[in-house]
Amino acid sequence: MAKLKISNDWWTAPAESDNGNLILVTGRRDLQNVIETGRYRYRVEVSWCYEGNDRLLPQYADSKIMEEVTDALNECFDKDPIAIMTGIYTGDGRRDWVFYTHSLHIFQRKFNEVMSPFPALPLQFEAEEDPDWQEYREMCECEVGSGED
C-alpha cells in the first residue's frame, strides 16, 4: 500500500473568542485525502492554560516551549502518522493542539515519548469520535481567502 501523503501546508488567521479576545488559529490545508481514508476517527485536543500577557497571548518563555513542543510532535507524527496535527489555537490564556488519530492508546504512548524531554506542563486532554472531521471543517472556515492579504 502506498504511503499516505499528508500536507505540510499551514495557514494562520485571527479569530475572536466568545469574550472578544484574540485567538490565533493555525490550520493544516489539504487533508481531504486523509479524511477519505476513514481511518482517523478520533479527535484529540490537548490544552495548556497559561498566564498570558495583557492581550492574553503567551509570555515569551511559554511561547518558546509551545513552539518546541509543536515541532517535536509534528516531527514524531510525520515519521509515524499514527496521528495528524490539524490545528493550533492560541490566545485567551490557552493553547490547544488538535489531532486526529486512529488509535487513542498508541497516540497516548507516542505523545508521552515526545514530551519526556520537556518539563512537566499543565496539559489537559479531551478525546472523542469525529469520523466526519467536523471540528477540522469548522476550523477551515476561519482561513482567510487566498486572494486577501
Side-chain angles (χ1 to χ4, degrees), residues 1-4 39:
M1 181 160 79
K3 184 175 178 182
L4 183 62
R39 292 188 67 212

Side-chain angles (χ1 to χ4, degrees), residues 68-86:
E68 290 171 3
V69 166
T70 299
D71 291 346
L73 289 166
N74 274 324
E75 183 180 329
C76 171
F77 293 127
D78 284 350
K79 289 179 186 171
D80 183 6
I82 186 68
I84 300 164
M85 184 185 302
T86 59

